[in-house]
Amino acid sequence: MSRAANPAQEALRRVIMARYPITQVVTFEEDRVEANLRHLTQNSMKRAGFWTWACTTGLVGPEGPVKDTRDPERALDVVAGQPAGVFLFRDLHAFFGQPAVVRKVRDVRLALTNTPRFLFLTAPRVTVPLDLRRDVAVMDFPMPTATELGHLLDRYVAGFEPPPDDDTRLSLVTALRGLTVAEASNAMNMAFYGKKRVDDEAMTTLHAQKAQLARKDGVLEFVAQKWQLDDIGGLEVLKQWFVKRRTLFEDEEADRRGLAPRGVLVMGIPGCGKSMCIKAAAALWGLPLFRLEMAQVFSGVYGTPEETFDHALKMMEAVAPAILWIDEIENAISADAEGADAGTKGRIFATFLTWMQEKPAQVFVGATANRIDLLPAELLRKGRFDQVFFIDLPDESERAAIFDVHLRHRKVDLTDINVVTLAKATKNWNGAEIENAVVAAMIEAYDADREVTEDDIFFQVGKVVPLAVTMAEQIKAIKSWAGQRAIRAS
Ligand code: ATP
C-alpha cells in the first residue's frame, strides 16, 4: 500500500492532533468510525475513556451506561464534566432543530477547547447548521481501502477450493471498491451464497451491487457489460491504447508516478463504434461503467443542474474504481447545442474542467462526441484527457472485420459468405449500418425458414443509402476538423 495502512484512523488521528474540540464525521459507516476511534483511544490516549451516545441508548462510558442521558442536553452536560475522553455521538444532528441543543453544543465547544476531550458527531451528510459552522469541524470519512476490503474478502473465501488466484482476488477487490464495509459484506453474502469457488456469476453479482448504489441517485445509469474488445472490428490503435493501460489503472505505483490513465475523448462519425469502445474498455479493465444522463441533469428533477452534476461526480468518486461515460458531451457543455441555457452550461463546464484536474485517478472518464465542432478548445487542451481519438468511417478491411463480428455473434456459418466481397460493396458504410444489414438479412431468411446467405445480405445492402452519402458535407467537415486535433483510432 502506498498510503498509510489505515487512512481512516489516520484521518481521525489528524483531527485530534489538530485539537478540534468538535468534529462532524460524514459517513454512512458509524460502526467503522466507532471501531477506529475506540482503537485510537485505547492505544494512543490511554488516560482518556471512550464514550458513545445514541438517542436510544444514552451515554455509554468505560464504566457502562450513564443513567438518564438519552436527552442530548443532559448527555452533553456529562461530557463537559469529564476530565478527559473521546466521545462519539451518533444522532446529535437529528436535534439540531432545537435552539437549546445548538446553544449547548456551542457551550460544550468552549468547555472542551484546549483540553484532552474530543467530541465526534457522525452523520450521513454535512448537517451542521449555520449557527454552528464556526464551532464544528467537518471531515469526510474515507471509504474502506483496497487492503481493508482484501482482508474482508479473505474471510469470505477462506476454505474455497481452489482459492482465488491473484488476478481473481484483484478483480474481486476492485469490484468491492466504493462499497462500505456493510455493503461489501452484503454483496459477498449474495455473491458467494452456497459457493465453494469464485466464478463469473459472483463477479456479476458484485457489479450489480455497485449498479444499485448508483441507481439510488437517478442520474447515473449502470451499463451492463455487453461488448468485449474483440467484438470491435478495426480501430486497432484505440484498442491497443486500452490494452496497454490495462494494468496501469489499478497499479498504485503507476498512480504515484502519474501514469494511471485519467480519461479519453472519442469523437467521430455517428454509428462507427464510439460508445462500443467505452463499453469494451470497461469489460477489458474489469470496471463498472456508469453513464451520466445529461438530460436528467438538466431536467431539474434532482435539484438544480449544477447541484445534480456536482452530486453525480461525487457519487462517481464514491463508487470508484469505475468508468464514467459522458455521452454526447457537446450537448452538456456547448452553449450552441440543445439543452439548458448558456449560463448553466458554462457553470457546469467550469465545474467539469476543475474536476477533471482534481478528480481521483480511480475514476476514468470516457467521453464521446458527435458534433465535435461544438467542443470548446479548453476541453481539448492537453491535460484534460490523456488522448483525443477520432473514429472515421471504417476502411475496407475494417468493414470486413465488422461483418465478421456481427455474423459470428449471431452464430452464422461463414463457409459460404465472403466478408471481403461484402466489404467491397459497402464503401462509406458505418458499423451500425453494417450491423443493421446483417440483422435485416437474417430476419428475412428466418422468415423463409432457412439459413442466411451472402445474397440475402447483398440484397439488403442494395436497399440502403449510407449516412455518409446523405450527410457528405457534414462528414467532410468533421474529418477536416478532427484531422488536426485528434489521433485516428485506426
Ligand atoms: P452514435 O454517435 O450514433 O451513438 P457511436 O459511434 O457511439 O454512434 P455505437 O453506438 O458504438 O456508435 O455503434 C452502434 C452499433 O454499430 C454498435 O452497437 C455496433 O453493433 C455497431 N458497430 C459500430 N462500429 C462497429 C465496429 N467497429 N465493430 C463492430 N460493430 C460496430
Side-chain angles (χ1 to χ4, degrees):
M1 283 299 302
S2 61
R3 297 170 200 116
N6 184 342
Q9 217 164 90
E10 258 326 289
L12 293 167
R13 187 197 302 278
R14 273 200 301 274
V15 167
I16 291 176
M17 301 282 283
R19 300 205 152 261
Y20 288 116
I22 309 182
T23 305
Q24 184 171 64
V25 186
V26 181
T27 182
F28 282 103
E29 299 188 278
E30 294 176 331
D31 292 343
R32 235 178 103 230
V33 175
E34 178 172 337
N36 279 287
L37 268 183
R38 191 183 288 281
H39 186 268
L40 201 63
T41 312
Q42 284 164 356
N43 287 281
S44 321
M45 306 176 60
K46 293 216 167 60
R47 276 185 301 151
F50 181 70
W51 303 64
T52 59
W53 179 83
C55 62
T56 48
T57 58
L59 205 54
V60 181
E63 314 287 323
V66 185
K67 262 178 77 172
D68 292 334
T69 48
R70 287 193 192 178
D71 175 65
E73 288 174 64
R74 296 186 65 114
L76 288 168
D77 278 336
V78 177
V79 167
Q82 300 304 312
V86 173
F87 310 89
L88 175 65
F89 274 49
R90 288 183 181 235
D91 303 320
L92 201 65
H93 61 277
F95 299 88
F96 281 160
Q98 300 176 16
V101 173
V102 172
R103 178 74 257 161
K104 186 62 85 183
V105 172
R106 301 195 73 172
D107 293 346
V108 168
R109 208 268 301 172
L110 274 178
L112 265 51
T113 301
N114 290 327
T115 70
R117 293 174 296 179
F118 302 93
L119 175 58
F120 288 90
L121 319 173
T122 50
R125 71 207 126 76
V126 182
T127 49
V128 181
L130 208 55
D131 301 10
L132 289 175
R133 292 272 159 92
R134 303 229 144 180
D135 301 284
V136 178
V138 174
M139 74 171 271
D140 284 315
F141 194 60
M143 297 296 282
T145 59
T147 311
E148 285 174 280
L149 292 167
H151 291 324
L152 188 67
L153 169 71
D154 291 341
R155 293 217 292 275
Y156 276 84
V157 299
F160 272 30
E161 219 24 74
D165 58 31
D166 286 353
D167 280 351
T168 311
R169 194 172 175 281
L170 179 66
S171 20
L172 284 167
V173 170
T174 304
L176 292 172
R177 293 281 285 278
L179 301 181
T180 64
V181 168
E183 287 166 339
S185 304
N186 283 342
M188 283 192 283
N189 277 328
M190 287 169 79
F192 301 141
Y193 178 74
K195 287 194 193 300
K196 278 279 149 228
R197 52 187 292 272
V198 177
D199 53 17
D200 290 349
E201 200 185 351
M203 290 304 299
T204 312
T205 311
L206 290 185
H207 281 154
Q209 289 295 307
K210 273 203 176 178
Q212 270 186 354
L213 197 72
R215 211 174 291 135
K216 282 184 207 151
D217 258 30
V219 288
L220 287 172
E221 177 210 2
F222 178 72
V223 182
Q225 318 245 340
K226 182 178 165 203
W227 299 109
Q228 304 293 326
L229 215 57
D230 287 345
D231 295 327
I232 303 176
L235 309 183
E236 292 307 326
V237 178
L238 182 49
K239 284 198 269 192
Q240 277 313 309
W241 193 90
F242 283 124
V243 170
K244 230 174 240 164
R245 283 154 185 81
R246 178 183 203 156
T247 54
L248 287 185
F249 194 74
E250 271 299 289
D251 185 336
E252 296 194 6
E253 178 61 23
D255 185 7
R256 256 202 309 281
R257 293 183 176 199
L259 299 177
R262 303 175 61 79
V264 70
L265 170 62
V266 184
M267 50 196 194
I269 295 175
C272 291
K274 296 183 293 292
S275 320
M276 206 181 177
C277 287
I278 305 293
K279 293 178 196 165
L284 178 74
W285 290 354
L287 294 175
L289 174 65
F290 294 94
R291 195 170 98 118
L292 181 59
E293 294 273 6
M294 287 312 291
Q296 298 266 33
V297 171
F298 290 131
S299 74
V301 173
Y302 302 92
T304 68
E306 290 92 329
E307 275 167 9
T308 313
F309 187 69
D310 203 47
H311 189 62
L313 298 181
K314 292 235 163 64
M315 268 306 288
M316 279 312 295
E317 293 179 14
V319 296
I323 300 187
L324 170 65
W325 169 26
I326 308 181
D327 195 15
E328 301 193 5
I329 191 171
E330 67 272 32
N331 288 336
I333 56 180
S334 164
D336 296 335
E338 300 159 23
D341 65 275
T344 306
K345 283 189 172 174
R347 285 189 293 276
I348 285 188
F349 183 43
T351 308
F352 180 66
L353 287 186
T354 316
W355 181 78
M356 278 298 280
Q357 296 284 303
E358 293 166 3
K359 75 175 177 61
Q362 301 281 302
V363 181
F364 180 85
V365 179
T368 51
N370 278 333
R371 294 280 317 273
I372 47 189
D373 51 316
L374 294 180
L375 292 176
E378 297 100 291
L379 188 71
L380 303 173
R381 261 219 317 269
K382 271 269 169 255
R384 310 283 186 213
F385 293 102
D386 299 313
Q387 195 60 266
V388 179
F389 282 106
F390 169 61
I391 302 194
D392 202 346
L393 286 168
D395 64 16
E396 190 178 302
S397 69
E398 288 180 313
R399 291 196 300 276
I402 297 173
F403 270 112
D404 193 79
V405 161
H406 286 292
L407 288 164
R408 272 182 211 284
H409 219 255
R410 293 173 176 82
K411 313 251 179 310
V412 174
D413 178 4
L414 288 178
T415 325
D416 293 323
I417 298 181
N418 187 340
V419 291
V420 176
T421 331
L422 287 167
K424 282 191 197 305
T426 46
K427 189 158 185 278
N428 285 330
W429 280 50
N430 68 25
E433 288 160 342
I434 292 177
E435 182 184 20
N436 286 342
V438 167
V439 172
M442 286 185 70
I443 290 173
E444 292 295 331
Y446 189 81
D447 188 45
D449 202 15
R450 56 177 176 76
E451 290 300 315
V452 70
T453 64
E454 196 177 303
D455 282 347
D456 292 330
I457 304 172
F458 266 114
F459 181 69
Q460 295 300 329
V461 168
K463 292 209 291 197
V464 174
V465 180
L467 196 74
V469 173
T470 50
M471 289 175 58
E473 275 311 303
Q474 285 101 312
I475 288 180
K476 212 169 117 192
I478 292 178
K479 280 190 192 187
S480 77
W481 191 96
Q484 304 134 32
R485 295 170 175 89
I487 288 200
R488 294 175 66 89
S490 51

